[in-house]
Amino acid sequence: MTAVDRPLAAARVLRPWQDQTLPVAERVDALLAEMTLEEKVGQLGSRWVGNDSRPADQPDPDPDVTLNVAPMQDVFAASGTIPLEEASRHGLGHLTRVFGSGPVTAAEGAAEVVRLQSLVVERSRLGIPALVHEECLTGFTTYGATVYPAAIAWGATFDPGLVERMATAIGRDMRAVGVHQGLSPVLDVVRDYRWGRVEETMGEDPYLVSMLGAAYVRGLESAGIIATLKHFAGYSAARAARNHGPVPMGRRELMDMILPPFETAIAEGGARSVMNSYSDVDGVPAAADSWLLTDLLREEWGFTGTVVSDYWAVPFLATMHEVAADTDEAGVLALSAGIDVELPDTLGFGPHLVERVRRGELPEALVERAARRLLTQKVQLGLLDQDWTPEGSVSAGATVDLDSPDNRALAREMAERSIVLLDGGTALPLRAEELRRVAVVGPAAAEPRAFMGCYAFPNHVLPRHPGLGLGLEAPSVLDALRTELPDTEIVHAPGCDVRGEDRSGFAAATAAARAADLCVAVVGDLAGLFGQGTSGEGCDAEDLRLPGVQEDLLAELAATGTPVVVVVVSGRPYALGEVHAGAAALVQAFMPGEEGAAAIAGVLSGRVQPGGRLPVQIPRRPGGQPGTYLQPPLGLNSHGISNLDPTPLFPFGYGTSYTSFEVGDLLISDAEVPTDGEFTVSVRVRNTGGRAGEEVVQLYLHDVLAQVTRPVRQLAGFARVRLEAGTSACVRFHVHADRTAFTGRDLRRIVEPGDVEVLVGTSAADLPCRGVVRLTGPLRVVGRDRRLVTPVDVDPVAGKPVTGEPVAGDPVAGEPVAGEPVTGKVAGKQEGRDAGQS
């Protein structure tokens, strides 16, 4: 019987692992009992067929330019890989990026999935299909698929419900063409704005990242796609913000600032996979850290899914970290620590593992442990069902529209909700009737790729394929303003490039500005990879000045006397102190995706009510990094101690609109609660302006006295509330004492008795409502069963919530709560053209 005939014969006999009436664990046990050691090891590997050669339409490579889509991809490709037929002889765990390696249509990619899966099934004795994984950081990373806003823009929405809907749409598209696992979301909490991958994060606060990350996971998993949490853990805190750099972080900071989003996405989102970080933390690389990958993740948190390696993280243990003598030893270290599947190709998890087991150098239980975890997911996904076929797994591949009207509408909604009006000044919203001519300048004004992150296909892969364009429709701000202002003459001059020192275009740009009634300057980033952009993986910044000569261009535009509306389209926050001083208005758009141009134009015209809030601070000055809002007292401005003032230009959580809001009438249900108790915090939010709008009400806590230093304030809950003009709503936060937990001196997570300051407002700096709750009783040690979420409900009579944050169980609308009211008014938010003055 040939290898091709074996699966056909097997199809006529129902094997125990194919029996859908049996529990998953029994099916996996039966399969493992049938497998040889070689077949178990085979499940731990992967194959990246699309990494074999340079595209035919790619010009000869420039030795000074890399077009890699993964670190050192060219080096590993050049070193040679074995054909899929050989790689899958004993079975295969994963197929890597069938859709994400080159420009293929949905139908072409689906056909390639069928071809590759057929090879995997036919060439192995047991005919076990592979999992197909793809990137999905800004949508399905494939040719022609919708490019949603980058993750930093998700953070600006403060809207978990919207993020969940987006992830569901992404997952449906991926599942329709035979994909099983998505390598997203990124749950790294920003610690240094200079890091290139800030654009891939959801911000600098662990609770915000937790809520949005868990929502993304729920959406992706609801569509049948395994969500992969990355990068576990500490990657975002690399020294000097250098990609893959060492992380000089203690265990306490790691546990309190970096790990909560991962724990929450597992406990509240149901994530089934985790990907390790490239970095080492305090000298221990994540890929070889058994405390992180086994003791904490599995034994303490109870995670039962798979841990997959980031691309080539296993051989990097030898070549980069120098903690293993060679790739084979690196494989042993990674497998022992808790990595189950090696991506994107099998190097460290190769046949040498079989030899080591047989020599008694490696317990077979470690191999079986990893194989069991992956096979469990294959059973759950239906890959081991008797009626599974390669063709059936891509049944919608020929008809699916990966950039459907519904997708684009969702991308537009996400973009509109993410744009942050920093300062409406005297120019916004635009008075179209008074504008005969508008000059649209800046290097991002006519470049739609500026709206897209480094993992969006047009920026991620298409630079390797010149001449193909974007693969989808994505207007520029210049296009969108011509549509938005049809009766206004729009003139354009770029002024300069995003990068470089060329100022030759300044004269034309300033001339256009002088001759116009208004100038809209669109500046910021162009994402790329490994030094080929100003933002993105491997595109770290020395400081936070706008890239190239863009800030100099803005200064010359301001000197013309024409009002200049500055729109910053970027993947990280830049220091805008000097820019703000010369701007008539200031808008921050965090890489808003393919529908970003219309969203920006709508915010400028007033057609769209801006509602984005900052998931990161906007620094005042370009130096003095790193720093975020989560600081103990000496991390803030310390008068008389340091001459450096880290106070931001705009604080975390900040954003204005074309109406105004007040937050007041604070009520706290209890003055004292036990360390295992709960209290309720309620406030009234009022729309005091002349049009409907959305406000994000934010709850912060401050541990007044603790055994270790604690942040002066830390986000503990939020609610995005839409209100018509003149209406109000009651927002109630249900705060369990567990929400005050932190890592104590002995590295146990504790709830300490004592006073906790309660602060409510609309940003980390606008907190007019303040009170105190005393926690009483003994110090409590808490674990995985502690409360990770602050439920919130909004009085449905006075206003409606538009967020997906968890809702407390059936509160009575308008029910009075005990406690003394503390009223306050949000400062610095005024109606109309004065909105946003700081």
Side-chain angles (χ1 to χ4, degrees):
M1 183 180 295
T2 68
V4 175
D5 293 330
R6 289 190 193 104
L8 298 177
R12 293 191 290 269
V13 178
L14 182 65
R15 303 291 185 90
W17 57 85
Q18 296 174 319
D19 188 348
Q20 295 173 249
T21 66
L22 294 178
V24 171
E26 287 188 24
R27 296 173 67 182
V28 174
D29 286 341
L31 181 54
L32 283 168
E34 178 70 20
M35 296 174 78
T36 65
L37 178 58
E38 287 84 354
E39 287 168 336
K40 294 172 185 176
V41 169
Q43 290 298 311
L44 313 187
S46 58
R47 183 70 185 90
W48 190 358
V49 175
N51 192 38
D52 291 339
S53 61
R54 182 163 52 90
D57 58 350
Q58 181 181 322
D60 291 336
D62 182 334
D64 296 323
V65 174
T66 175
L67 292 175
N68 289 345
V69 301
M72 300 192 70
Q73 175 189 355
D74 52 344
V75 174
F76 286 102
S79 65
T81 51
I82 62 176
L84 178 63
E85 292 85 347
E86 175 63 21
S88 59
R89 185 162 63 93
H90 296 297
L92 189 69
H94 275 238
L95 285 166
T96 296
R97 296 188 62 169
V98 179
F99 288 87
S101 301
V104 296
T105 65
E108 291 168 342
E112 181 67 355
V113 167
V114 171
R115 185 184 77 83
L116 298 179
Q117 288 281 35
S118 297
L119 279 173
V120 171
V121 170
E122 292 167 1
R123 298 291 176 174
S124 58
R125 180 177 71 94
L126 294 174
I128 302 171
L131 259 69
V132 179
H133 74 257
E134 296 286 347
E135 297 283 4
C136 52
L137 288 170
T138 63
F140 185 7
T141 303
T142 190
Y143 187 66
T146 304
V147 177
Y148 294 93
I152 191 67
W154 314 348
T157 70
F158 276 71
D159 193 336
L162 181 57
V163 171
E164 184 171 344
R165 285 196 286 127
M166 177 194 67
T168 302
I170 294 169
R172 280 198 302 261
D173 287 347
M174 296 172 74
R175 201 72 182 92
V177 294
V179 177
H180 307 106
Q181 182 161 347
L183 304 186
S184 193
V186 170
L187 297 184
D188 298 305
V189 176
V190 175
R191 304 298 285 167
D192 192 328
Y193 307 138
R194 298 171 299 174
W195 189 47
R197 303 191 79 167
V198 167
E199 64 169 63
E200 300 176 40
T201 76
M202 288 170 262
E204 66 183 65
D205 181 86
Y207 187 71
L208 177 64
V209 177
S210 293
M211 293 297 96
L212 299 177
Y216 184 96
V217 169
R218 285 193 296 270
L220 209 62
E221 292 277 358
S222 73
I225 296 293
I226 295 173
T228 310
L229 313 180
K230 61 186 190 182
H231 305 86
F232 193 63
Y235 189 23
S236 59
R239 182 181 284 123
R242 295 180 66 251
N243 193 37
H244 293 207
V247 177
M249 178 181 286
R251 183 69 58 85
R252 183 176 297 106
E253 183 179 355
L254 183 75
M255 294 176 70
D256 286 349
M257 295 296 164
I258 301 297
L259 294 177
F262 294 93
E263 185 178 8
T264 304
I266 292 167
E268 300 290 333
R272 288 184 285 170
S273 193
V274 169
M275 175 179 277
N276 72 280
S277 163
Y278 284 120
S279 297
D280 72 82
V281 177
D282 196 23
V284 181
D289 190 348
S290 60
W291 171 81
L292 182 70
L293 301 180
T294 298
D295 298 352
L296 177 77
L297 179 64
R298 296 193 183 278
E299 295 176 10
E300 185 171 333
W301 292 356
F303 178 67
T304 59
T306 56
V307 175
V308 298
S309 79
D310 207 339
Y311 283 18
W312 294 298
V314 173
F316 283 171
L317 291 175
T319 60
M320 298 294 182
H321 293 290
E322 299 183 351
V323 297
D326 53 31
T327 297
D328 287 359
E329 185 178 328
V332 173
L333 283 178
L335 182 65
S336 301
I339 287 182
D340 303 311
V341 182
E342 181 182 12
L343 304 181
D345 268 312
T346 306
L347 294 173
F349 283 10
H352 76 94
L353 294 179
V354 175
E355 299 166 6
R356 287 172 184 260
V357 170
R358 287 183 174 150
R359 292 197 301 263
E361 299 170 1
L362 178 70
E364 184 174 355
L366 291 179
V367 173
E368 185 157 320
R369 178 183 74 176
R372 179 183 298 278
R373 292 165 180 165
L374 180 64
L375 291 172
T376 296
Q377 293 186 340
K378 289 188 175 184
V379 171
Q380 292 169 339
L381 291 165
L383 294 179
L384 298 185
D385 294 349
Q386 188 180 34
D387 60 354
W388 183 92
T389 63
E391 294 79 9
S393 70
V394 298
S395 57
T399 59
V400 64
D401 181 356
L402 297 180
D403 192 29
S404 67
D406 286 347
N407 283 6
R408 294 192 70 98
L410 189 53
R412 174 82 68 96
E413 184 179 358
M414 177 71 75
E416 291 179 348
R417 198 158 289 183
S418 70
I419 294 170
V420 183
L421 178 63
L422 297 175
D423 186 349
T426 59
L428 295 182
L430 300 176
R431 302 180 182 91
E433 68 282 0
E434 299 177 8
L435 299 175
R436 294 172 301 168
R437 176 182 296 170
V438 170
V440 180
V441 305
E447 177 52 270
R449 287 175 57 217
F451 303 147
M452 304 177 187
C454 72
Y455 271 79
F457 200 83
N459 287 336
H460 195 69
V461 174
L462 288 183
R464 297 161 61 106
H465 302 269
L468 285 183
L470 299 177
L472 45 75
E473 181 183 351
S476 67
V477 171
L478 178 63
D479 299 326
L481 282 174
R482 283 175 171 154
T483 300
E484 194 79 24
L485 305 173
D487 298 325
T488 300
E489 180 187 1
I490 305 292
V491 296
H492 171 243
C496 65
D497 294 329
V498 170
R499 298 196 296 175
E501 300 296 320
D502 186 2
R503 292 172 167 79
S504 61
F506 279 22
T510 55
R514 285 192 189 93
D517 301 308
L518 181 82
C519 175
V520 175
V522 190
V523 297
D525 281 321
L526 184 59
L529 294 165
F530 308 111
Q532 301 309 301
T534 58
S535 176
E537 185 174 2
C539 297
D540 310 312
E542 292 182 354
D543 60 33
L544 296 177
R545 182 181 170 90
L546 282 167
V549 295
Q550 295 181 82
E551 191 164 328
D552 297 338
L553 173 64
L554 292 176
E556 294 204 14
L557 292 171
T560 66
T562 299
V564 180
V565 174
V566 177
V567 179
V568 181
V569 181
S570 65
R572 66 166 60 84
Y574 284 104
L576 301 178
E578 296 297 325
V579 172
H580 182 227
L586 188 57
V587 175
Q588 174 69 56
F590 289 111
M591 291 185 174
E594 66 181 37
E595 288 286 339
I600 291 170
V603 166
L604 297 183
S605 73
R607 173 178 56 82
V608 173
Q609 174 71 288
R613 299 295 181 265
L614 290 175
V616 287
Q617 299 177 128
I618 300 294
R620 187 177 300 275
R621 301 177 185 86
Q625 295 302 312
T628 71
Y629 94 96
L630 288 168
Q631 300 291 334
L634 286 175
L636 303 176
N637 189 24
S638 47
H639 300 285
I641 296 176
S642 173
N643 62 310
L644 298 180
D645 181 1
T647 304
L649 180 65
F650 297 103
F652 173 85
Y654 177 84
T656 68
S657 67
Y658 299 133
T659 188
S660 56
F661 294 92
E662 293 181 1
V663 177
D665 300 341
L666 174 67
L667 290 170
I668 300 176
S669 60
D670 301 273
E672 294 185 356
V673 297
T675 52
D676 61 352
E678 182 176 311
F679 58 94
T680 299
V681 178
S682 67
V683 294
R684 179 74 58 176
V685 55
R686 301 175 176 86
N687 183 341
T688 57
R691 60 181 287 187
E694 296 179 8
E695 184 58 278
V696 178
V697 181
Q698 301 163 41
L699 167 70
Y700 294 80
L701 299 179
H702 171 219
D703 195 336
V704 177
L705 179 65
Q707 61 179 252
V708 297
T709 61
R710 299 288 295 138
V712 171
R713 61 187 62 87
Q714 184 167 357
L715 185 71
F718 60 89
R720 187 175 182 114
V721 183
R722 177 175 176 81
L723 291 172
E724 298 297 321
T727 66
S728 65
C730 179
V731 180
R732 296 187 189 87
F733 299 96
H734 303 268
V735 186
H736 194 276
D738 289 353
R739 300 291 297 117
T740 70
F742 63 92
T743 303
R745 292 189 180 187
D746 60 1
L747 297 183
R748 295 187 302 170
R749 192 175 297 278
I750 59 174
V751 176
E752 230 181 8
D755 288 348
V756 175
E757 190 176 10
V758 176
L759 310 99
V760 186
T762 57
S763 79
D766 281 330
L767 298 168
C769 299
R770 297 170 181 250
V772 175
V773 171
R774 174 161 293 177
L775 301 182
T776 61
L779 179 148
R780 284 178 59 233
V781 177
V782 295
R784 61 189 266 194
D785 59 345
R786 73 186 188 284
R787 307 284 182 87
L788 299 171
V789 175
T790 303
V792 58
D793 55 84
V794 179
D795 186 335
V797 175
K800 64 176 184 177
V802 293
T803 180
E805 265 210 287
V807 176
D810 299 321
V812 179
E815 181 182 4
V817 291
E820 293 297 319
V822 182
T823 61
K825 185 174 182 178
V826 178
K829 294 205 173 184
Q830 302 163 16
E831 186 173 355
R833 300 181 190 281
D834 293 329
Q837 297 292 332
S838 63

